[in-house]
Amino acid sequence: MTRTAATPAATARHGGTPFGVLPTGDTVHRFTLANGDVTMRVLDYGGIVQSLETPDRQGIRQDVVLGFDDLEGYLHRSPYFGALIGRYGNRIATGRFTLDGTTHTLAANNGPHALHGGLTGFDKVRWQVLDATDRSLVLRHVSRDGDEGYPGTLTATVTYTLTADNRWVIDYEATTDRATPVNLTQHTYWNLRGHGAEPVLQHELQLVADAFTPVDATLIPTGVLQPVAGTPFDFRTPQPIGARIDAAHEQLRHGSGYDHNFVLAGPGDAAGVRFAAQVREPATGRTLAMSTTEPGVQFYVGNFLDGRITGKGGAVYARHSGFCLEAQHFPDSPNQPAFPSTILRPGERRTSRTEYAFGVDTQQP
Ligand code: GLA
């Protein structure tokens, strides 16, 4: 009797609703979180933010993240829409690195390079739900020793919290039993006019970065920190995303637009969280501010979207129809001794925090 009583109570507490069934037979659940003016729906598969609604300056609520209505889209067509990324966000050159004298070979899934954790990254696994309330969700994933070529069993715990003052706070924690690189991030694509609206080129972006990490033609950092001053990468004062995106700059050619890691400047608060970026969409007045403990942010403008993906409600996602601000350590850090280290060792606990704050600017366009 005690047993039958315990099961329904646990299910009710988690409150997820079935969203689809994986090829393994496991059911994916969707959780609704709401607080203040923000409502978001999150899948235990990939920790994917499947929808996120906020009001515009008229109070009209819209879903501002790109995604799919069904699991099938996420399984077969998704360029990481809304997903948690691990074990290593962005690229590791030729899927290889040497750590403590041993060379490790990773699954290559981006030409010769390893991207976003490999063929089955943390975006493509069902996470265990440790706790769920109407405003928070705690997810855990244990990645086994050798998973996608990475050494050590890594335990990652990610907490999403919606606060009463309209912030989505992401807390990451990781531990390992062998030294391994770790770079966890979140890959939501935003369009503050509403997902499926016109490309985000009119959105105004401010990025608190004095430098970025230029890349070669395959998007691997050269190792240099290049000042943004005098380049189309200078967003220290707010600029429309599209204003210089077609400028004749070698780095914009390499990235097919912006697809670069920016080096964050500026002081952090007591917890080491620093203001990194602010975006304003002039037509709706919606604003998005990002703060993070991470040293970098990948600014990517959906350059690889090309209208072949049909998402929620039949929306066609054309080139530049969403932007990503992925808080992270720098790409290819395991091969770049001058970059901040991503190596996590046994006995250490890696924690980081990234926040996205939602608002409206009442000033008319
Ligand atoms: C990151 C990368 C891009 C691309 C996207 C996903 O932003 O830097 O090059 O791989 O993820 O499509």
Side-chain angles (χ1 to χ4, degrees):
M1 211 173 131
T2 337
R3 265 221 238 126
T4 43
T7 312
T11 309
R13 182 150 172 259
H14 285 172
T17 54
F19 188 74
V21 178
L22 294 169
T24 55
D26 291 324
T27 299
V28 169
H29 285 87
R30 186 170 77 162
F31 296 81
T32 301
L33 276 53
N35 205 353
D37 297 328
V38 181
T39 302
M40 70 197 281
R41 294 190 175 79
V42 182
L43 309 182
D44 51 11
Y45 179 76
I48 289 170
V49 175
Q50 190 255 335
S51 73
L52 193 147
E53 285 165 27
T54 70
D56 70 3
R57 68 160 77 84
Q58 252 91 53
I60 299 167
R61 297 179 69 79
Q62 271 169 314
D63 180 358
V64 295
V65 301
L66 277 59
F68 298 102
D69 287 319
D70 55 16
L71 184 61
E72 201 271 329
Y74 289 105
L75 293 181
H76 303 298
R77 299 195 298 280
S78 185
Y80 307 95
F81 283 161
L84 286 174
I85 306 292
R87 180 177 306 197
Y88 196 96
N90 215 280
R91 294 175 179 78
I92 295 181
T94 67
R96 219 170 283 145
F97 65 94
T98 301
L99 176 58
D100 300 336
T102 305
T103 298
H104 298 273
T105 304
L106 306 171
N109 60 334
N110 187 249
H113 308 311
L115 174 67
H116 293 334
L119 296 164
T120 308
F122 292 8
D123 59 298
K124 294 184 187 66
V125 297
R126 195 171 62 120
W127 291 58
Q128 190 189 337
V129 178
L130 294 191
D131 193 26
T133 72
D134 56 2
R135 55 199 56 178
S136 66
L137 187 66
V138 185
L139 299 171
R140 170 162 294 171
H141 176 56
V142 178
S143 164
R144 297 283 161 212
D145 183 24
D147 184 19
E148 300 290 319
Y150 289 96
T153 296
L154 182 86
T155 302
T157 309
V158 178
T159 304
Y160 290 166
T161 308
L162 283 184
T163 66
D165 61 350
N166 301 320
R167 284 176 300 128
W168 167 29
V169 180
I170 311 168
D171 283 303
Y172 301 89
E173 187 188 309
T175 55
T176 185
D177 63 2
R178 268 178 80 192
T180 180
V182 182
N183 193 20
L184 304 175
T185 190
Q186 225 293 341
H187 208 304
T188 289
Y189 288 64
W190 305 95
N191 187 325
L192 300 182
R193 262 188 116 137
H195 82 93
E198 64 191 59
V200 295
L201 302 177
Q202 317 288 318
H203 288 51
E204 293 160 9
L205 168 70
Q206 182 188 10
L207 253 177
V208 189
D210 298 328
F212 72 109
T213 50
V215 290
D216 68 15
T218 67
L219 298 176
I220 297 297
T222 61
V224 167
L225 305 191
Q226 185 176 328
V228 296
T231 76
F233 293 81
D234 190 348
F235 285 96
R236 290 174 297 176
T237 56
Q239 305 288 332
I241 288 175
R244 300 160 300 173
I245 203 167
D246 294 322
H249 191 285
E250 184 196 46
Q251 285 299 314
L252 290 171
R253 269 205 312 282
H254 287 174
S256 310
Y258 298 106
D259 186 358
H260 293 79
N261 173 66
F262 286 72
V263 180
L264 295 173
D269 67 10
V273 180
R274 57 187 164 193
F275 171 61
Q278 161 106 3
V279 183
R280 174 178 172 272
E281 200 291 300
T284 59
R286 286 196 183 88
T287 61
L288 173 70
M290 190 189 110
S291 306
T292 184
T293 57
E294 291 289 340
V297 59
Q298 186 80 11
F299 173 50
Y300 169 65
V301 195
N303 311 332
F304 300 129
L305 298 176
D306 58 5
R308 277 187 295 179
I309 294 178
T310 300
K312 291 180 279 191
V316 173
Y317 297 138
R319 186 150 190 252
H320 302 319
S321 57
F323 67 90
C324 304
L325 288 168
E326 305 155 57
Q328 62 181 8
H329 272 57
F330 306 170
D332 197 33
S333 293
N335 294 310
Q336 301 274 359
F339 289 176
S341 172
T342 56
I343 304 303
L344 178 69
R345 296 187 179 274
E348 294 174 351
R349 201 169 64 99
R350 168 81 56 81
T351 58
S352 65
R353 171 176 280 197
T354 295
E355 304 186 3
Y356 296 94
F358 305 94
V360 281
D361 175 351
T362 45
Q363 188 191 316
Q364 291 302 314

